[in-house]
Each structure stands twice: as structure tokens, then as C-alpha cells.
Amino acid sequence: MAYQVVVTGRGKRVSNGTLPTRSLPWARPSWTRVVILIGLALLLGRADIEQVISPFAIAFFVIVVELLGVKRSWPAAAALVGAFTRGGLGAASLLGVEMVVYLLCRRALFARRAPDLHWAPFIAATIDVIARLAAVGTVWTRYDLMISFADGALVAILALIFIQCIPIFTGELGGRTLRFDQWVSISILLGSVITGLASWTVAGVSVAGVVIDWLVLLMAAAGGPGVATTTAVVTGTLSVVHHTTGLADVAVLAFSGLLAGVLKDAGRLWGGLAFVGSTALLSTATANSFAAVEASALAGGIGCILYFFTPRRLRRELAACVPGTQEHRESEQDRARRVRKLLWERVDGLGQVFEELSNTFAAGGVSSVTSAHQLMDHAVGRVATTVCHACPRREKCWGKESFQTYQAIVHTLERLEATGSRFEPPTPDLRERCVRMDAMMSMLRQNLEIIDRDAKWLNKLNEQRQLVSQQLAGVAEVIRSVASEIDRRNESTLWREEQILAAIEQMGLYVDDVHIVSLDPGRVEVEVTQPSQGAHENSVRVIAPLLSGIVGENITVHEVCGGPGSCRVVFRSARLFDVRTAVATVARDGRTVSGDSCTALDIGNRRFAVAVSDGMGNGERAQRESKAAIDLLTRLLQAGFDEQLAVRTVNSALLLRSREEVFTTLDMALIDLYSARAEFLKIGSAPSFIKRGNDVITIRGDSIPIGILRDIEVQSIVEQLQAGDILILVSDGVYDAPHRTYDQDEWLKRQIAQLETSDPQAIADTLLECAVRFNHGEIRDDMTVMVAAVEAHKPEWAAISIPHIAGLRQQRRRGA
């Protein structure tokens, strides 16, 4: 049986069965939990099989010790009291010896390494066998050996089972959702506990029978027929082993639990009545006497009354742990909302930090006027320190007439800077004051060079500071948009998910879970968890068309994440338009490397980008610059940066990248795949063209290339495209091909209008060939033609409409 335990220690998380050597510094348990552990230990100490085998208490004690540590496991010692009430001092002594020996062996075996939970059941089983044989004496019969080894085997098996369920009672469970094997383990534990009540009766009614009936009813209301039947079979079988009931009673109990689980949605009353009625009727057919029928019906009735008085909160808490129930889905939704809220707070706080950093960098710069005054003050200070230090007139110049002396030196520096001549004479006021004129002028010329150098570095530093500020502002904007998206999606969609679940079940499919991420038009995203077998086929043939009919737009399968048992399928809005692209390029003079770069890719957020960049010059250096610009721009756009800020960032990066003059043109079109709205970014590039039937539309920009000036104007042109439009982007080499003979615009528009094909690759090859042939085969510059054809998307399937199920958006509008 596979198992996993999550235990938290001081900075450690143990999930593979290995525990720290010291007892866990676990928070002091609540008294409710302590009372539950004491009650479990007491009843397990009383439990036995045929009054001969009693493996329950030592198995429980061993697992509690390993989970909570020696010092925290004292509630498990209550099993000694239960053993005393069962078998007197002998049974309690035997159990006490086994507990002490296990603790001593544990300390000896794991003195230098952490205790291993995997070995605990087998160590306990070995100790139990040895202790029981020692209690018999020195002469063992076959019966003694058989009983001892059977008890030891049951200790090991029960300990492995208890590993699954005891963490629930000790607070060490890693999550709220319980797997089916954990429910079976809980049923075995509770059945073992109920065995400790086997000998108790009140007015002729078995207490164990009442508790079993109450437990089956509670599990039926919480988990439905499957959990109820499992609990009935397990607890009933343990009662059969103890000779409390018979196999026929187990069958009656299982059927009654199944019936109560089927009627769990009808309410407590109908479920309880169905359980009691079926128990009474079936017991009539299986019991040997009227007294047995009466006892069975009475136990069922008392258990039903206890079930009616059981707090609803307990049932909801149990149901929240059973996958597939309404309470479990609500619990998972609530947990997901809390997680998203926490994530939103963290992300929003991170965005505020970046925004504050951006403001700090923006405000930390020094204006050019202030920096010029500071540099001038430093220069005058250096002159006063070096030239005037040993001058006999220092007291007069810098004592009584310091302001006049300062003004005279500043005026001289300004004249030297304005004329640019190293032999410019000093101003009259400085000539009248200074007696060491040669040294003074030499020092002023030297300091003027220092001022020019420092001013350039300060300007460079300010530019870098502004660049960092813009980058931080862009990052803050991206983070805030992510935070707002998380906050927008953190709304209750449970009723919509229930409607989708009902529609899928009406089509005859079973899915585990449905999670709505977004229902915004064009941005629909729904996640469906379903069994792996046939998941892709069911998603394509049934679920996607069904979702298309429910949300009112075409939905497609975006991703299928498979697993061994179940898989998660992501459904998203299908694009309304497709873009087919092609490119044709040739390098100057037939070289192998072109200075032009181009790209065509889906940048996410339902947008498609096509771009052409022409680097300065030709060859590898031009290609390196153009490729760097276009790659950086696409990555920034994919990260969510605003187009204007992304272009300015690329411009600043090119300015700071090299001391040499580096610039490149950029021609980019961002096409919305849902609305066909195109945004053109024209930065020093040649005009772009749109072929719409027999018409040719020119898209022109006037901005200069990036990498020349620090502050550039990013020109954005918006154009609404249509299905069938052909977008053509060209580099300067193609556009300037006929510059000595014809008007470039008219020549290129005429060539595009004469095209008789709509294939993008054929169009790109034809235009490039026309440009080369116009110059008689001479390629004077790098040439690139990028063609993008906009086409209407063809849905893969038709939407499925189910009667009596309205669209989600229609219901949302009615609710609004």
C-alpha cells in the first residue's frame, strides 16, 4: 500500500517517511485533539479478536510515536487502560512491555540517524512476536507459534494502514482531499475502534451496532453511496471477525448504506428513513428470530436518531474531503480564491515596489543646470587650492573679495568654453586681480577639460538612470496588469461550473472537475479534468463543441496535460482570423549574410507580430544590430510591455550598447487575431502596403531610426484589416530600387496591384525579383520582403446547443 506523510519540524518538511531525530517541536495540540487520541487509544486497547489476538493498540502506539515524537505521544498510552479493562493486569503488562521495548529499540537503532517510518511497522511486529512467545514461557506449541506470528503480522499490516489515517487525527495531513485508499484506511481504523465496544450493551442493544449504523449514515450523507458502502463492508467485516454480527448482517448494512447514500441529496429525513426501513425489512429475511430483528431495527433507529442530532458542520467537513461532492468543489473554490487573493496581494505589492524604485531613480537625477554649477564650483575650488594656496594676495582675494574673485574665474572659464581656444586671454577683472596669471590660465584650461569630461559622464549617468527608471516603470506596469488579471479572475464561478458539469453529464460523459478561468469575449479559458482514457477524443468531439454552444463563441482545445489516471484539458477561445506569412530576402552583392532581420510569431494575448528591421550598413554587424533590436522588442512585447515603452527601451539599449554610432530601422505590425485590428510601428522604415482586392493602401511613418537620439517619437498607426487582406513589409533595399527612375511609392504600388496570386511566398518572391531585375541584376543593398495574409479562421466543429441550458453570458446579463 502506497503512503505518504507530511511532517513539519524546525525548518524541515519530511514527505518520504524520514523523521527528525528529536521529537517534533510541534505546537501544543488542542484539548479536542488530545481527547480524540485518548479515546482512540482507550478503545483500541480494548479491541481484540476472539479474545486471543490484540494487535490494534501497539500498532496505533507505534505510528503516533513516529508522527508526534516520544514526548508528544503520551495520549497513546491510554491504550494501557483499555488493555487492563479487557484482559486485566496481564494484558496491560504485556502491552506496556512492548511499548517500552519499542522505545528502547528505537533509541538504539536510530541513535545516529533519523528514524525511518518505513521500518517502524516491522520493528513493532518483531517485538510483538518475541514478547508474546516470552509470555508463553520456554515451551511453545504450534498453536502458540501460530497465534504469535499472526498477531505480529496483523501489527505490521495495521501499522501500515494507520499511517494513512492517523495523520488526520494528529493534524499532520498534507491536504484536505482524501484519496479512496485513505477512506478505506479510516474505515479500518474506525472499525477497529468499534471492536473495542463489542462487549458493551445498553438495555439489550449493542453499542457497537448503534455506532456502526450512525457511522454508515454519516458517511452516506458526506460521501455518497461509494463511501457509505465501503464503510459498511469494512466495519461489518471486523464485527464478523469478533463474532458480533454475521455475514448476512454485513450484506444488509452495505445495502442500507448504499440506499442512504443514493438518497443523500433528498435530505437527512429520507436518507435516515430509507436506512432504517431497509435494515428492518432485510433483517426479517436474514435473522433467525424476532428478537434479532427487533435488536437490529432498534439499533438502526437509535443510530438514525443520533445521525439527526449530528451537527451539520461535521457532515460538511467530511464531505469537503470527498472528491466529487458539492462541498468539496466549494472548498476547493474557496481555497483557490484565498490562494489567488494572497497571490494578488504579493504581486500587487511587488508592483508597488518596482513603481517606487522607478520614482526613486527618476527623482534621483541631477538637472543639467545643477550639474554645471557643481562642476564649476569644483573647478574653482581646485584652482583656489593649487594656484592661490601660496599667493601673497590670497587673504584679499578669497577673504575680503571672495565673491568678486569667484565671478572673475567663472567668467574666464565661460569664455574659454565658448571660444574653444586654448590661447584665449583672461577677462579684464581676472587680469586686474591675479598676480600669477600664467599658472592661473594653465590651471583653468586643465580644469575646463575635466569639466567637459565630467559633464559627459554625468549626462551618460542621467541617461542610464532614466533608462533604468523607464524599465522599472515598465516592469511595474506588467506586474500590475498581472495582479489586476488575478483579481479579476478571483470571483465566484461555481454556479457556471455546475452548469457546464451538468451539460457534460447530459451528453453522457464523466469529468472530475471544471474550472472557469475567464469568460470574457475572445478570452474564454476553461479547464476540465477528466479520465485520461479517451480524453483528447472526448474533448475534441464533445466538450469543445458543447462549450462553444454554452459560451456563444467558437472554443478550441489549447492544451492536454495527461497523467496516469486523469488529465487536464485547457479550452480557449478560437481565433477568428489566421495569419499566413512568408519572407524573401537577399544580401547585397549576393553575399551570404544580410543586414536585414525579420520575424513572424504569436506573441500571446491573442496578437500576432510581423516585423522587418534594417541594420546600419551591410553584413554581419548590421545583421547583429537589427536582430538584437527585433529580438529584444518581441521579448518585451511577449512579456506584456507597452508598445511605446518597448520601443523606447530598445532605443536606449542601442544607445548604451556601443560608443560607435549604431542605429536600425524597425517596421512592425501587431495584428489582433480576434478583431483583425492592426497596429503599425513605423520607426525610420520604408512604407508598408495593404493589398485589398484591386486596391493598395500605403502605410507611411516619419520617425527617425532607433539608436540615434535618446528621445524618439514612436509613431503608431492603427488600421482595420479584413479577411483576404495581404500585408506587405519591405526594407529600404526594395523600396529604393527605382529611386533614380520612378517614384518609389507609385512603382511599388503598381507592382503589388499587378499581382495575380494570393500565396504569400509567391508574392514575396515576385516583388523581390522585380526589385532585382529593375537594376539589371545588380543588388545595391540588402533586400527583404515580408508578406502576411489575413484569413478568416475556419472552425473545426459546429457548436452543440442543449435545450433548457441558456448561455452563460446571457444569464450573466440577466443577473446584472
Side-chain angles (χ1 to χ4, degrees), residues 479-753:
I479 293 177
R480 280 197 301 269
S481 64
V482 173
S484 62
E485 183 72 13
I486 294 174
D487 185 49
R488 183 180 61 84
R489 295 182 178 184
N490 195 18
E491 59 182 12
S492 178
T493 57
L494 184 61
W495 68 271
R496 300 188 184 101
E497 295 170 356
E498 289 294 333
Q499 182 174 358
I500 294 177
L501 270 175
I504 294 175
E505 292 176 357
Q506 190 171 344
M507 296 295 296
L509 294 180
Y510 170 77
V511 298
D512 298 327
D513 187 34
V514 173
H515 174 58
I516 296 177
V517 179
S518 174
L519 288 177
D520 294 340
R523 302 177 187 272
V524 174
E525 183 173 347
V526 179
E527 298 178 357
V528 177
T529 303
Q530 57 182 313
S532 297
Q533 186 175 4
H536 186 271
E537 183 178 359
N538 293 334
S539 301
V540 171
R541 293 187 176 183
V542 180
I543 301 180
L546 182 63
L547 290 176
S548 300
I550 293 177
V551 302
E553 66 177 73
N554 190 34
I555 303 298
T556 186
V557 179
H558 176 73
E559 183 182 9
V560 179
C561 302
S566 63
C567 70
R568 181 177 60 89
V569 184
V570 180
F571 299 88
R572 289 184 179 177
S573 295
R575 59 181 63 183
L576 298 183
F577 296 91
D578 292 324
V579 178
R580 290 192 303 126
T581 61
V583 63
T585 183
V586 64
R588 178 181 179 180
D589 297 331
R591 299 175 184 175
T592 57
V593 179
S594 171
D596 298 342
S597 296
C598 58
T599 186
L601 77 162
D602 191 335
I603 62 174
N605 199 19
R606 70 181 192 179
R607 293 193 303 176
F608 193 89
V610 290
V612 173
S613 178
D614 185 2
M616 180 186 68
N618 310 102
E620 294 183 358
R621 183 175 180 272
Q623 185 198 44
R624 186 168 58 250
E625 301 302 334
S626 63
K627 188 175 187 303
I630 205 169
D631 288 347
L632 179 58
L633 182 61
T634 53
R635 288 192 177 95
L636 290 174
L637 293 175
Q638 285 177 322
F641 276 67
D642 176 73
E643 293 82 0
Q644 303 281 335
L645 179 60
V647 173
R648 291 192 179 95
T649 301
V650 174
N651 178 69
S652 300
L654 291 179
L655 283 173
L656 300 175
R657 181 171 176 171
S658 175
R659 295 181 180 180
E660 302 176 1
E661 185 182 31
V662 175
F663 64 87
T664 182
T665 66
L666 183 63
D667 191 4
M668 174 173 283
L670 301 174
I671 305 172
D672 191 318
L673 298 176
Y674 189 77
S675 63
R677 178 179 177 271
E679 181 180 4
F680 293 88
L681 301 178
K682 310 288 294 182
I683 307 172
S685 61
S688 302
F689 301 90
I690 300 174
K691 186 177 186 298
R692 181 174 298 164
N694 296 325
D695 299 330
V696 179
I697 303 172
T698 304
I699 308 296
R700 184 187 303 276
D702 300 326
S703 59
I704 63 174
I706 56 177
I708 298 178
L709 301 178
R710 185 172 65 88
D711 296 324
I712 64 172
E713 179 183 356
V714 181
Q715 189 173 8
S716 176
I717 304 170
V718 177
E719 184 74 24
Q720 181 62 49
L721 302 181
Q722 301 175 6
D725 285 354
I726 298 176
L727 177 63
I728 301 172
L729 279 64
V730 298
S731 64
D732 292 340
V734 176
Y735 182 74
D736 293 335
H739 71 283
R740 295 182 180 179
T741 309
Y742 298 102
D743 179 79
Q744 294 100 317
D745 276 4
E746 294 300 327
W747 176 82
L748 199 52
K749 289 176 66 176
R750 186 170 62 253
Q751 299 298 324
I752 295 173

Side-chain angles (χ1 to χ4, degrees), residues 740-812:
R740 295 182 180 179
T741 309
Y742 298 102
D743 179 79
Q744 294 100 317
D745 276 4
E746 294 300 327
W747 176 82
L748 199 52
K749 289 176 66 176
R750 186 170 62 253
Q751 299 298 324
I752 295 173
Q754 293 174 355
L755 293 171
E756 298 180 354
T757 179
S758 60
D759 179 64
Q761 190 62 59
I763 293 174
D765 294 340
T766 301
L767 293 179
L768 184 65
E769 182 180 0
C770 289
V772 174
R773 292 178 60 185
F774 190 89
N775 292 297
H776 307 289
E778 182 182 359
I779 304 174
R780 300 174 180 176
D781 194 4
D782 299 326
M783 297 183 180
T784 299
V785 180
M786 168 71 74
V787 180
V790 180
E791 302 173 348
H793 178 75
K794 297 180 180 180
E796 301 178 24
W797 43 71
I800 298 177
S801 300
I802 298 181
H804 311 299
I805 295 183
L808 296 182
R809 292 178 187 156
Q810 181 181 358
Q811 293 188 10
R812 184 167 58 178

Side-chain angles (χ1 to χ4, degrees), residues 370-523:
T370 304
S371 61
H373 283 298
Q374 291 177 349
L375 293 175
M376 193 69 70
D377 291 341
H378 288 310
V380 174
R382 286 191 295 266
V383 170
T385 303
T386 56
V387 178
C388 304
H389 178 68
C391 181
R393 301 188 61 181
R394 176 181 176 83
E395 185 65 24
K396 178 182 178 182
C397 293
W398 294 106
K400 299 178 180 180
E401 301 176 356
S402 58
F403 179 76
Q404 291 81 356
T405 305
Y406 176 84
Q407 291 294 327
I409 295 177
V410 168
H411 293 159
T412 303
L413 285 172
E414 291 176 348
R415 174 181 289 185
L416 290 174
E417 184 179 12
T419 58
S421 174
R422 296 179 57 89
F423 304 101
E424 183 70 18
T427 57
D429 52 351
L430 182 62
R431 186 183 297 109
E432 294 175 359
R433 293 178 180 278
C434 186
V435 297
R436 306 179 66 180
M437 187 55 60
D438 293 339
M440 173 65 71
M441 293 303 297
S442 176
M443 182 58 63
L444 288 180
R445 294 186 185 98
Q446 182 180 353
N447 277 275
L448 184 60
E449 296 177 356
I450 296 175
I451 290 174
D452 293 338
R453 182 197 62 191
D454 292 346
K456 291 179 180 179
W457 281 109
L458 283 176
N459 291 333
K460 199 76 169 180
L461 182 61
N462 284 332
E463 291 178 2
Q464 293 178 346
R465 184 180 287 109
Q466 292 298 322
L467 173 62
V468 172
S469 176
Q470 293 176 2
Q471 293 295 309
L472 292 175
V475 173
E477 182 64 27
V478 172
I479 293 177
R480 280 197 301 269
S481 64
V482 173
S484 62
E485 183 72 13
I486 294 174
D487 185 49
R488 183 180 61 84
R489 295 182 178 184
N490 195 18
E491 59 182 12
S492 178
T493 57
L494 184 61
W495 68 271
R496 300 188 184 101
E497 295 170 356
E498 289 294 333
Q499 182 174 358
I500 294 177
L501 270 175
I504 294 175
E505 292 176 357
Q506 190 171 344
M507 296 295 296
L509 294 180
Y510 170 77
V511 298
D512 298 327
D513 187 34
V514 173
H515 174 58
I516 296 177
V517 179
S518 174
L519 288 177
D520 294 340
R523 302 177 187 272

Side-chain angles (χ1 to χ4, degrees), residues 99-250:
M99 290 179 176
V100 173
V101 173
Y102 176 78
L103 294 177
L104 293 176
C105 291
R106 181 178 183 273
R107 184 174 183 180
L109 293 175
F110 303 107
R112 296 184 179 180
R113 61 190 181 95
D116 195 340
L117 186 61
H118 296 86
W119 290 100
F122 304 102
I123 296 174
T126 304
I127 293 174
D128 181 74
V129 172
I130 295 175
R132 287 188 174 275
L133 291 176
V136 172
T138 57
V139 180
W140 305 327
T141 64
R142 292 181 179 178
Y143 177 78
D144 295 332
L145 291 174
M146 182 184 66
I147 293 298
S148 299
F149 281 105
D151 195 89
L154 286 176
V155 168
I157 294 173
L158 288 172
L160 291 173
I161 294 174
F162 289 168
I163 289 175
Q164 296 282 346
C165 52
I166 291 180
I168 301 173
F169 302 97
T170 60
E172 304 295 333
L173 186 66
R176 285 184 57 89
T177 302
L178 299 180
R179 305 184 306 274
F180 180 75
D181 57 332
Q182 289 177 312
W183 279 110
V184 175
S185 302
I186 293 173
S187 301
I188 294 175
L189 174 62
L190 296 178
S192 304
V193 171
I194 294 174
T195 304
L197 302 172
S199 59
W200 291 359
T201 59
V202 177
V205 179
S206 172
V207 176
V210 172
V211 175
I212 289 176
D213 292 341
W214 169 80
L215 182 62
V216 172
L217 276 170
L218 182 62
M219 292 303 179
V227 176
T229 305
T230 302
T231 305
V233 171
V234 172
T235 55
T237 302
L238 289 175
S239 298
V240 171
V241 173
H242 199 270
H243 291 291
T244 305
T245 59
L247 288 176
D249 297 327
V250 176

Side-chain angles (χ1 to χ4, degrees), residues 236-314:
T237 302
L238 289 175
S239 298
V240 171
V241 173
H242 199 270
H243 291 291
T244 305
T245 59
L247 288 176
D249 297 327
V250 176
V252 171
L253 183 65
F255 181 81
S256 301
L258 176 65
L259 189 59
V262 171
L263 296 176
K264 79 181 188 72
D265 293 332
R268 283 189 176 192
L269 178 61
W270 292 107
L273 291 177
F275 180 86
V276 175
S278 59
T279 301
L281 290 175
L282 293 176
S283 297
T284 304
T286 58
N288 297 325
S289 63
F290 178 76
V293 175
E294 184 181 13
S296 177
L298 187 59
I302 297 174
C304 183
I305 294 174
L306 292 177
Y307 165 67
F308 288 154
F309 285 99
T310 301
R312 292 183 180 271
R313 180 179 177 183
L314 177 60

